[in-house]
Amino acid sequence: MKKVAWVTDSSAVVDEELKKHPHVYVLPVHLIINGQSFLDGIDLTTEDIVHSMDNGEELSSSQPSVGDFKELYDRLAKEYDMIFSVHVSSALSGTYSSSVLAGKMVDIPVFSIDSGFLSYPLTLLLKKAIKLWNHFQEPEIVIQSIHAIKSKLNIYVWIGSLQQLHKSGRLSASKYLLGSLMKIKPIVTFEEGKLEVKTKVRTWKQATEKISSYLEESLASGKIEEIFMLYGRDESQAEEWIDMVKAENADAKISTNPLGTALVLHAGTGTVGIGWLEK
């Protein structure tokens, strides 16, 4: 049996299961605060980022470099037979491209996968890939299956801060000004790996009603395997949506997860999301 290493980046939510996995490795995103660079999850936690944002500090991020990947892959080549590298959407970051380039420079097969997501959905796909490998032991089956699973993932995020979305370059100045004046906050979703505005609402109640209607549509079309809540600062808001899910009588695994540093950095600490995986 071939020995396999699993690599992701800190855009994923690295939960206890992944932390305990002996063959999972995480390349940290570089976080820049007031011009000083830190490594996500090593030098700083998401809580540190929230604190910095509260204090009005200047924050940005940069992806792991090709050199970062090559250094890790060369080290893993001494112990493993192959590497699966599962990363944040290529439409949001060049991390996946860096993995592909580094994979061509090393003496070990590297199978890079563009998850099309970030945060917990990226985590979920990594876990699915590990299970698929353990069952089939065939790289192509793993890759094809993950791409099929991606199409069954739905995620909706209520943006907590238009200002932060604008500062991160994900929202134009005109849209930021218009949204601020009208006190509108968008609900965004992922389409072909990109963050796209699904609808616009003004209140938490309206956001809940809209997302509830999307969940009802999925429940009507078939069974849901897993539902996950995402939160930035306030876990209690995510817990409110758990009550909404239970009211829909969804027979599915339900979990609550932090947004992760990348999504908090771009969307703000008050951001809340919900997603589900269809069977």
Side-chain angles (χ1 to χ4, degrees):
M1 183 182 296
K2 291 184 177 180
K3 192 173 182 181
V4 176
W6 300 90
V7 176
T8 190
D9 58 82
S10 62
S11 299
V13 175
V14 184
D15 59 15
E16 288 304 313
E17 180 182 340
L18 292 180
K19 287 178 182 177
K20 293 177 180 178
H21 196 294
H23 308 303
V24 169
Y25 299 85
V26 181
L27 265 178
V29 171
H30 298 264
L31 302 172
I32 298 93
I33 303 178
N34 295 332
Q36 187 174 357
S37 182
F38 301 89
L39 295 178
D40 182 21
I42 297 175
D43 301 322
L44 294 173
T45 65
T46 301
E47 289 74 20
D48 294 326
I49 294 298
V50 169
H51 181 71
S52 293
M53 292 171 71
D54 287 344
N55 289 338
E57 296 176 293
E58 289 295 323
L59 285 85
S60 61
S61 64
S62 64
Q63 69 205 39
S65 67
V66 175
D68 292 334
F69 275 100
K70 185 178 184 302
E71 181 181 353
L72 175 60
Y73 292 165
D74 279 334
R75 178 159 51 90
L76 295 177
K78 298 175 183 178
E79 183 180 352
Y80 294 93
D81 300 307
M82 68 174 62
I83 299 169
F84 281 96
S85 208
V86 187
H87 295 288
V88 58
S89 170
S90 62
L92 301 176
S93 168
T95 304
Y96 166 74
S97 295
S98 294
S99 173
V100 172
L101 288 171
K104 296 176 181 178
M105 302 176 181
V106 294
D107 296 324
I108 182 174
V110 179
F111 299 95
S112 298
I113 299 175
D114 178 0
S115 75
F117 293 93
L118 77 168
S119 189
Y120 182 75
L122 169 53
T123 305
L124 189 154
L125 289 170
L126 174 58
K127 290 180 178 180
K128 288 285 187 183
I130 293 171
K131 290 180 180 177
L132 285 162
W133 172 259
N134 290 339
H135 185 76
F136 293 105
Q137 303 282 308
E138 288 288 343
E140 287 306 315
I141 292 178
V142 173
I143 294 168
Q144 291 172 9
S145 298
I146 289 301
H147 285 302
I149 293 170
K150 282 164 57 174
S151 66
K152 298 178 181 179
L153 266 171
N154 300 272
I155 179 170
Y156 300 96
V157 179
W158 189 54
I159 300 299
S161 171
L162 290 182
Q163 181 182 21
Q164 193 63 31
L165 200 65
H166 171 54
K167 287 170 66 177
S168 71
R170 294 323 195 260
L171 185 70
S172 69
S174 59
K175 288 182 179 179
Y176 165 59
L177 179 61
L178 181 62
S180 298
L181 289 173
M182 299 184 68
K183 296 183 178 180
I184 290 174
K185 291 184 180 180
I187 295 174
V188 300
T189 187
F190 282 83
E191 294 182 7
E192 297 182 353
K194 299 178 182 178
L195 282 171
E196 300 288 351
V197 175
K198 178 71 173 179
T199 189
K200 300 169 186 176
V201 296
R202 287 188 172 89
T203 67
W204 172 252
K205 181 180 179 182
Q206 289 175 341
T208 299
E209 290 172 349
K210 278 289 185 183
I211 290 173
S212 178
S213 69
Y214 302 147
L215 178 59
E216 287 176 3
E217 290 176 12
S218 286
L219 286 170
S221 63
K223 293 182 178 180
I224 292 177
E225 178 180 329
E226 180 176 348
I227 302 174
F228 47 90
M229 317 295 166
L230 306 171
Y231 66 91
R233 178 204 306 277
D234 190 357
E235 188 174 357
S236 65
Q237 285 185 303
E239 290 171 350
E240 285 184 40
W241 277 352
I242 289 179
D243 294 334
M244 174 188 74
V245 167
K246 290 179 178 177
E248 300 292 346
N249 296 315
D251 182 21
K253 174 186 174 184
I254 302 173
S255 65
T256 303
N257 310 274
L259 286 171
T261 303
L263 201 45
V264 166
L265 184 62
H266 293 303
T269 59
T271 298
V272 185
I274 181 172
W276 51 88
L277 175 64
E278 297 174 349
K279 290 184 178 179

